[in-house]
Amino acid sequence: MIGVLTERIQFNQQSIFLLKSFNELNQTNSCCVFCNEMHHRPVDIRFNIMQQIQSYSFEGTLITDSILLAQNLHYNIYTKKKYYYVWNLDWMSLENLQISQLNIPFYNDEIELIARSQSHADLLEKLFKKPKYIMEDWDYDVLKRIDEDER
């Protein structure tokens, strides 16, 4: 089973790609999304959406697309495999960022990285560690491969 831990579902590119890919993935593999806000359902949803707090008892593969939520992945002790999907290079725009705040999302051995593009992967490898996957825009084929690899 594969799950995504995200801040919110809203009418934007990131949510639309996620929802469409998970709708397709849910036809063959179990999947769910954990979030606390749903501003608008940009597409019909054919899988479970639960509150973020429920991710702490999730036993499958968990992916987050938020640097802030990636810091919490460390506390998901039941989760089989943990990934931080670096959708944006958002740490560069955080005010008052302390370098120690990057330890859990980028240097923690139990959290693997997923890059959004080859250029992101090259940068992440130079700065932190090599991403395990490259996945453009929540690509269905990559999600399916991640789920199958972690079984």
Side-chain angles (χ1 to χ4, degrees), residues 22-146:
F22 260 48
N23 278 339
E24 189 174 350
L25 185 65
N26 195 51
Q27 294 178 24
T28 57
N29 303 47
S30 295
C31 58
C32 61
V33 170
F34 302 95
C35 70
N36 283 341
E37 297 178 46
M38 188 179 315
H39 295 281
H40 179 73
R41 286 190 342 203
V43 298
D44 287 335
I45 297 171
R46 292 180 243 129
F47 54 86
N48 292 326
I49 295 183
M50 295 178 259
Q51 292 290 313
Q52 284 179 353
I53 193 77
Q54 293 177 300
S55 73
Y56 290 104
S57 60
F58 185 70
E59 296 180 0
T61 299
L62 191 60
I63 302 170
T64 187
D65 57 4
S66 161
I67 192 168
L68 299 176
L69 292 175
Q71 292 178 13
N72 292 339
L73 280 181
H74 177 70
Y75 301 105
N76 289 65
I77 59 174
Y78 298 108
T79 301
K80 181 179 175 183
K81 190 69 179 172
K82 304 169 188 178
Y83 290 95
Y84 171 35
Y85 180 23
V86 186
W87 177 272
N88 291 317
L89 306 177
D90 51 0
W91 73 87
M92 295 190 292
S93 63
L94 294 174
E95 291 185 32
N96 302 319
L97 176 71
Q98 303 295 318
I99 197 69
S100 63
Q101 292 174 289
L102 301 179
N103 284 343
I104 291 177
F106 292 108
Y107 294 116
N108 189 319
D109 290 336
E110 69 181 31
I111 300 173
E112 296 282 349
L113 300 179
I114 301 172
R116 186 174 174 200
S117 65
Q118 184 61 53
S119 62
H120 282 189
D122 294 341
L123 179 64
L124 290 169
E125 185 173 5
K126 286 178 185 173
L127 294 175
F128 307 112
K129 62 184 174 184
K130 183 176 180 170
K132 188 165 182 181
Y133 298 97
I134 297 174
M135 175 171 62
E136 291 187 35
D137 302 328
W138 292 105
D139 183 86
Y140 162 77
D141 293 321
V142 178
L143 285 169
K144 188 170 181 168
R145 189 169 72 234
I146 291 169

Side-chain angles (χ1 to χ4, degrees), residues 4-33:
V4 168
L5 177 62
T6 190
E7 295 284 345
R8 66 191 56 84
I9 300 295
Q10 56 191 356
F11 194 79
N12 66 11
Q13 178 187 21
Q14 189 170 356
S15 290
I16 291 170
F17 283 129
L18 168 62
L19 297 176
K20 285 186 174 186
S21 291
F22 260 48
N23 278 339
E24 189 174 350
L25 185 65
N26 195 51
Q27 294 178 24
T28 57
N29 303 47
S30 295
C31 58
C32 61
V33 170

